[in-house]
Amino acid sequence: MTAAPVSHGSRGLGATVWAPETVTADPYNAQTPSAALAEPLTPVGAFFVRDHFGSPPATPGRWQLRIGGAAAAPFGIGHDELLAMEHRELDVVVECAGNGRSLMTPRPPGLPWSQQAVGCAHFAGVPFRFLADRARIDPAAVEIVFTGADSGTVRGHRTAFERSLPLAVALHPDTLLATRMNGEPLAPEHGAPVRLVVPGRYAVADVKWLVGARAVTQPFTGVFQAEEYRYVDSRGTPDGPVTTVRVKSLITEPEPDEAVRRGHETLVRGRAWSGDGVPVRRVEVRAAYEEDDRDGERGWHEAVLDPPAGPYGWSGWSYRWTPQRPGPYRLLSRATDARGDRQPSQAPWNAHGYGCNPVACVEVVVV
């Protein structure tokens, strides 16, 4: 579906952006349009949306978060009290675990995301650890279960959207109860009035419309933890839960099928990121003529890599390319992070299409 321009007033992002590209209407799910991915911060009005059950009604004045479970001093906190607490601000890449699913063959079931269920935003919020300290979490606790206000029927049972985090991740100073996004109060489709933001993990961890957090002394086995959002290989063998974002790059310029002039310099640009606060160290670009082998190792050139705005943001990159012969080309990019992880030529297939991070590809024509 073609995106349409909408007004937007976020800081420094201009007055007009592109609305998300609808994938499903009910519940509403939509991708970030390609043009918006070229921005250092993805405008709120263009940021991808992922809902399981639809956006629940919520008003800040009536919102309350209950913190309890295995805790000596459980309590509830309202919106005004949360806003009065010390806040932390971070640029964070938010990526759906199923981003890129449509690139896999055969395509796994689920939303047919291409490579645009991702964005980078500036979040402000209260570190969850401040509230956990006040609740006096039991030393025997192993996880915190976070509950959203949204609910629906999954596999014949009514359930709220709930996900758990290991205690060390939940109590990390950068795990936020976010109230603002790109300098504005959260929009309803992005989890207003309060959402969880867990930098470096796939967005399923970022529970929206947050209303509950409880400590548990045994691993949580809710449907979205133990049955959904788990890697399952081609033989049906479980291979662990969806957690850390995998290293990835995108090409934002030139656009697919764009005509490029022979003998003229073309600026190839994009974004690159990885998970758990691990920086991208290298991006390489290759211009493959149609007869070339996409999986070949010849012809890779190092791009210029910009520093990210903090440990969880993405990096811009650029490469100057001057094509010398006409015809169809594939422009490829691959990122390598500080752990040495590099985008594969093809992402390993899994039954739900999670963690898809193959070498990025845009087809253009030199004229």
Side-chain angles (χ1 to χ4, degrees):
M1 178 176 179
T2 302
V6 295
S7 64
H8 177 71
S10 285
R11 56 188 181 98
L13 294 175
T16 302
V17 297
W18 295 97
E21 298 173 349
T22 301
V23 175
T24 61
D26 187 20
Y28 176 59
N29 291 283
Q31 298 191 113
T32 304
S34 297
L37 294 173
E39 298 277 2
L41 292 181
T42 310
V44 172
F47 210 96
F48 88 95
V49 177
R50 174 67 174 108
D51 290 348
H52 283 274
F53 306 123
S55 178
T59 56
R62 296 181 179 180
W63 177 85
Q64 187 177 66
L65 174 66
R66 296 293 306 175
I67 299 95
F75 68 99
I77 187 171
H79 194 250
D80 288 344
E81 185 180 355
L82 187 70
L83 291 180
M85 296 180 66
E86 179 183 342
H87 275 56
R88 186 167 175 78
E89 299 188 18
L90 297 167
D91 284 5
V92 179
V93 172
V94 180
E95 182 179 10
C96 182
N99 190 30
R101 176 185 287 124
S102 64
L103 303 180
M104 290 185 171
T105 303
R107 184 174 71 79
L111 291 175
W113 298 126
S114 58
Q115 290 279 50
Q116 297 158 235
V118 65
C120 183
H122 185 80
F123 288 100
V126 175
F128 174 73
R129 67 184 301 174
F130 292 171
L131 278 65
D133 289 346
R134 178 174 162 185
R136 293 162 50 199
I137 301 298
D138 191 320
V142 295
E143 294 180 345
I144 304 292
V145 179
F146 294 92
T147 304
D150 52 327
S151 63
T153 300
V154 180
R155 302 187 182 188
H157 300 283
R158 188 80 179 178
T159 182
F161 187 85
E162 293 186 307
R163 284 281 296 185
S164 69
L165 290 174
L167 196 63
V169 177
L171 300 184
H172 191 283
D174 294 337
T175 297
L176 302 181
L177 305 178
T179 59
R180 299 182 72 82
M181 181 178 179
N182 288 357
E184 301 176 347
L186 286 176
E189 65 269 25
H190 295 302
V194 179
R195 70 176 291 169
L196 191 66
V197 171
V198 189
R201 292 207 163 202
Y202 282 113
V204 64
D206 301 340
V207 177
K208 297 193 286 187
W209 310 294
L210 191 66
V211 293
R214 67 184 187 275
V216 293
T217 57
Q218 297 292 327
F220 177 59
T221 58
V223 63
F224 291 106
Q225 193 79 28
E227 299 178 54
E228 304 286 337
Y229 291 100
R230 301 187 71 83
Y231 292 107
V232 177
D233 68 19
S234 58
R235 296 164 299 193
T237 305
D239 194 26
V242 168
T243 55
T244 302
V245 169
R246 294 175 174 175
V247 64
K248 199 165 190 175
S249 67
L250 282 179
I251 299 172
T252 58
E253 294 180 43
E255 295 182 356
D257 301 321
E258 186 173 330
V260 175
R261 295 180 65 188
R262 181 179 59 171
H264 288 256
E265 185 178 83
T266 295
L267 189 63
V268 183
R269 299 200 300 177
R271 301 283 168 198
W273 65 95
S274 194
D276 280 351
V278 176
V280 170
R281 292 299 191 207
R282 188 182 191 192
V283 173
E284 299 165 281
V285 177
R286 180 173 179 238
Y289 200 65
E290 65 174 348
E291 290 93 1
D292 291 344
D293 178 9
R294 180 177 177 178
D295 295 330
E297 287 300 311
R298 297 178 295 107
W300 288 99
H301 301 277
E302 191 154 353
V304 176
L305 187 63
D306 301 328
Y312 309 112
W314 54 23
S315 296
W317 58 264
S318 60
Y319 172 71
R320 297 183 182 277
W321 173 52
T322 304
Q324 297 299 329
R325 58 175 172 169
Y329 281 79
R330 292 190 305 273
L331 294 176
L332 311 173
S333 71
R334 65 184 184 189
T336 303
D337 67 19
R339 285 179 295 228
D341 292 337
R342 188 175 75 181
Q343 287 180 267
S345 58
Q346 291 185 324
W349 190 90
N350 63 85
H352 302 293
Y354 295 140
C356 185
N357 69 330
V359 166
C361 177
V362 168
E363 296 181 350
V364 297
V365 178
V366 175
V367 297

